[in-house]
Amino acid sequence: MGRIEYSAEISDLLGRVRRRPSAGWPWRPGEAVPGGLPVKQSWGWLFAPDGRVLTLVNPKDGIVSLPGGSLEAEDRGDPGAALARESAEEAQAEIGLPYYLGYLYDRVGSANGGHECARVRMAAALRRVGPTAPDPASGRHYRRLLVAPGLAVELLGWGAPGLRQARAAVACAVARLGVPAVANEAIEELPPAGCRFHD
């Protein structure tokens, strides 16, 4: 395995990364969300053409996340619509058609007022990102990094279940999006002015 490359500025940012404690939600790959189990969140593995994925770092607290969030009324119950909207709001990202990967079963229901719910995971092509801007919902101004999926799991702190999720995302992206099975391992911060990927 080659050496992972990144700038001194990214090294400083990664040195401040703080991982959330694992929630231990069971991962249900490829399974449809059962009827009656509400989908409350949708998060995405967004792939650049070289196989890296977009991760967001909140520089204030060092928390790393994938783009995504809660379904809103305007999404009409569609996790793909929620992912596209949240990606635009959080990362100023435009994505291609999202593909369903599976869901996490949240038995505690921390996103649903204490009632069980599903947290969907999807994969999509990252088409472009616009100029960086704060998330209108939270005011957070994320740093946008492209990293290999395995490293994303490490930064997210998701452990073995996260690695299984990343493998499902990569398999989908290789088959549906034409990305390489082995991603570029350089860590790159996207430019503040934005950039374009897939046409």
Side-chain angles (χ1 to χ4, degrees), residues 47-50 125-128 177 179 196-199:
F47 285 86
D50 63 6
L126 183 60
R127 299 215 177 277
R128 62 176 292 278
L177 308 177
V179 305
R196 178 173 292 277
F197 297 98
H198 298 267
D199 291 325

Side-chain angles (χ1 to χ4, degrees), residues 16-116:
R16 289 179 277 138
V17 163
R18 185 168 61 84
R19 293 163 182 84
R20 288 189 175 109
S22 174
W25 300 314
W27 167 235
R28 308 289 194 215
E31 294 182 25
V33 177
L37 184 65
V39 175
K40 287 296 179 178
Q41 293 187 330
S42 178
W43 302 79
W45 296 85
L46 308 185
F47 285 86
D50 63 6
R52 291 181 293 180
V53 294
L54 179 63
T55 57
L56 305 179
V57 184
N58 185 345
K60 290 186 177 178
D61 60 16
I63 294 292
V64 179
S65 62
L66 295 177
S70 298
L71 274 70
E72 305 291 349
E74 64 205 81
D75 303 319
R76 299 180 183 274
D78 180 357
L83 176 60
R85 177 184 52 74
E86 288 281 359
S87 298
E89 291 175 358
E90 294 178 341
Q92 301 73 54
E94 179 185 312
I95 65 173
L97 177 69
Y99 294 95
Y100 179 79
L101 299 173
Y103 71 97
L104 295 165
Y105 171 57
D106 179 356
R107 66 174 64 84
V108 176
S110 53
N112 190 32
H115 302 284
E116 64 178 359

Side-chain angles (χ1 to χ4, degrees), residues 58 60 133-142:
N58 185 345
K60 290 186 177 178
D135 178 355
S138 67
R140 295 183 186 126
H141 202 125
Y142 295 102

Side-chain angles (χ1 to χ4, degrees), residues 144-194:
R144 308 172 295 185
L145 298 183
L146 287 182
V147 301
L151 179 57
V153 172
E154 177 64 25
L155 294 175
L156 291 159
W158 287 356
L163 193 56
R164 290 192 292 273
Q165 190 183 134
R167 287 177 179 151
V170 170
C172 176
V174 169
R176 302 276 192 162
L177 308 177
V179 305
V182 178
N184 180 343
E185 291 193 347
I187 302 171
E188 178 184 356
E189 183 165 14
L190 297 181

